Short mmCIF file of all heavy atoms in Angstrom, two decimals:
data_model
loop_
_atom_site.label_atom_id
_atom_site.label_comp_id
_atom_site.label_asym_id
_atom_site.label_seq_id
_atom_site.Cartn_x
_atom_site.Cartn_y
_atom_site.Cartn_z
N ILE B 209 -94.83 -8.87 -70.95
CA ILE B 209 -93.47 -8.40 -70.64
C ILE B 209 -93.50 -7.33 -69.57
O ILE B 209 -92.70 -7.33 -68.63
CB ILE B 209 -92.78 -7.90 -71.93
CG1 ILE B 209 -92.46 -9.09 -72.83
CG2 ILE B 209 -91.51 -7.13 -71.60
CD1 ILE B 209 -91.93 -8.71 -74.18
N MET B 212 -94.18 -8.88 -66.18
CA MET B 212 -92.96 -9.53 -65.70
C MET B 212 -91.93 -8.50 -65.26
O MET B 212 -91.25 -8.67 -64.25
CB MET B 212 -92.36 -10.38 -66.83
CG MET B 212 -93.03 -11.72 -66.99
SD MET B 212 -92.70 -12.76 -65.56
CE MET B 212 -93.25 -14.32 -66.15
N ALA B 213 -91.80 -7.43 -66.03
CA ALA B 213 -90.80 -6.41 -65.72
C ALA B 213 -91.08 -5.80 -64.35
O ALA B 213 -90.16 -5.61 -63.55
CB ALA B 213 -90.80 -5.33 -66.79
N ILE B 216 -90.22 -8.58 -61.71
CA ILE B 216 -88.78 -8.86 -61.60
C ILE B 216 -88.04 -7.61 -61.14
O ILE B 216 -87.17 -7.67 -60.27
CB ILE B 216 -88.23 -9.38 -62.94
CG1 ILE B 216 -88.87 -10.73 -63.27
CG2 ILE B 216 -86.72 -9.52 -62.88
CD1 ILE B 216 -88.45 -11.31 -64.60
N SER B 520 -92.22 -18.82 -72.89
CA SER B 520 -92.29 -18.10 -71.62
C SER B 520 -90.90 -17.58 -71.23
O SER B 520 -90.78 -16.57 -70.56
CB SER B 520 -92.87 -18.99 -70.51
OG SER B 520 -91.98 -20.00 -70.18
N LEU B 521 -89.86 -18.28 -71.70
CA LEU B 521 -88.50 -17.80 -71.42
C LEU B 521 -88.27 -16.46 -72.11
O LEU B 521 -87.69 -15.55 -71.52
CB LEU B 521 -87.47 -18.83 -71.90
CG LEU B 521 -86.03 -18.47 -71.58
CD1 LEU B 521 -85.79 -18.56 -70.09
CD2 LEU B 521 -85.06 -19.38 -72.29
N ILE B 522 -88.74 -16.35 -73.33
CA ILE B 522 -88.56 -15.08 -74.05
C ILE B 522 -89.29 -13.96 -73.32
O ILE B 522 -88.73 -12.88 -73.10
CB ILE B 522 -89.07 -15.21 -75.49
CG1 ILE B 522 -88.12 -16.08 -76.29
CG2 ILE B 522 -89.21 -13.84 -76.14
CD1 ILE B 522 -88.54 -16.31 -77.69
N LEU B 523 -90.52 -14.26 -72.89
CA LEU B 523 -91.29 -13.24 -72.17
C LEU B 523 -90.56 -12.84 -70.89
O LEU B 523 -90.41 -11.66 -70.60
CB LEU B 523 -92.68 -13.77 -71.83
CG LEU B 523 -93.64 -13.94 -73.01
CD1 LEU B 523 -94.94 -14.53 -72.53
CD2 LEU B 523 -93.88 -12.59 -73.67
N SER B 524 -90.09 -13.84 -70.13
CA SER B 524 -89.44 -13.52 -68.86
C SER B 524 -88.13 -12.79 -69.09
O SER B 524 -87.79 -11.88 -68.34
CB SER B 524 -89.16 -14.77 -68.04
OG SER B 524 -90.19 -15.66 -68.12
N ALA B 525 -87.39 -13.22 -70.11
CA ALA B 525 -86.09 -12.59 -70.34
C ALA B 525 -86.28 -11.13 -70.74
O ALA B 525 -85.59 -10.25 -70.22
CB ALA B 525 -85.32 -13.34 -71.42
N ALA B 526 -87.23 -10.88 -71.61
CA ALA B 526 -87.49 -9.49 -72.00
C ALA B 526 -87.97 -8.71 -70.79
O ALA B 526 -87.53 -7.59 -70.53
CB ALA B 526 -88.52 -9.45 -73.11
N GLY B 527 -88.88 -9.35 -70.02
CA GLY B 527 -89.35 -8.70 -68.80
C GLY B 527 -88.22 -8.45 -67.83
O GLY B 527 -88.15 -7.40 -67.20
N GLY B 528 -87.31 -9.42 -67.73
CA GLY B 528 -86.19 -9.28 -66.81
C GLY B 528 -85.27 -8.14 -67.20
O GLY B 528 -84.82 -7.36 -66.36
N ALA B 529 -85.01 -8.02 -68.50
CA ALA B 529 -84.13 -6.95 -68.97
C ALA B 529 -84.75 -5.59 -68.65
O ALA B 529 -84.10 -4.71 -68.10
CB ALA B 529 -83.90 -7.09 -70.47
N LEU B 530 -86.03 -5.49 -68.94
CA LEU B 530 -86.74 -4.25 -68.63
C LEU B 530 -86.79 -4.03 -67.12
O LEU B 530 -86.62 -2.92 -66.62
CB LEU B 530 -88.16 -4.34 -69.21
CG LEU B 530 -88.97 -3.05 -69.22
CD1 LEU B 530 -88.29 -2.01 -70.07
CD2 LEU B 530 -90.36 -3.32 -69.78
N GLY B 531 -86.98 -5.15 -66.40
CA GLY B 531 -87.05 -5.09 -64.94
C GLY B 531 -85.74 -4.60 -64.34
O GLY B 531 -85.74 -3.82 -63.39
N LEU B 532 -84.63 -5.04 -64.92
CA LEU B 532 -83.33 -4.61 -64.41
C LEU B 532 -83.19 -3.10 -64.56
O LEU B 532 -82.70 -2.41 -63.66
CB LEU B 532 -82.22 -5.33 -65.19
CG LEU B 532 -80.86 -5.39 -64.53
CD1 LEU B 532 -80.93 -6.06 -63.18
CD2 LEU B 532 -79.87 -6.11 -65.42
N ILE B 569 -85.43 -14.82 -63.59
CA ILE B 569 -85.98 -14.97 -64.95
C ILE B 569 -86.24 -16.45 -65.24
O ILE B 569 -87.32 -16.83 -65.70
CB ILE B 569 -85.02 -14.38 -65.99
CG1 ILE B 569 -85.00 -12.86 -65.88
CG2 ILE B 569 -85.40 -14.81 -67.40
CD1 ILE B 569 -83.97 -12.19 -66.75
#
Side-chain angles (χ1 to χ4, degrees):
Chain B
I209 289 173
M212 279 292 193
I216 295 178
S520 70
L521 183 69
I522 288 178
L523 289 177
S524 320
L530 191 61
L532 200 58
I569 289 173

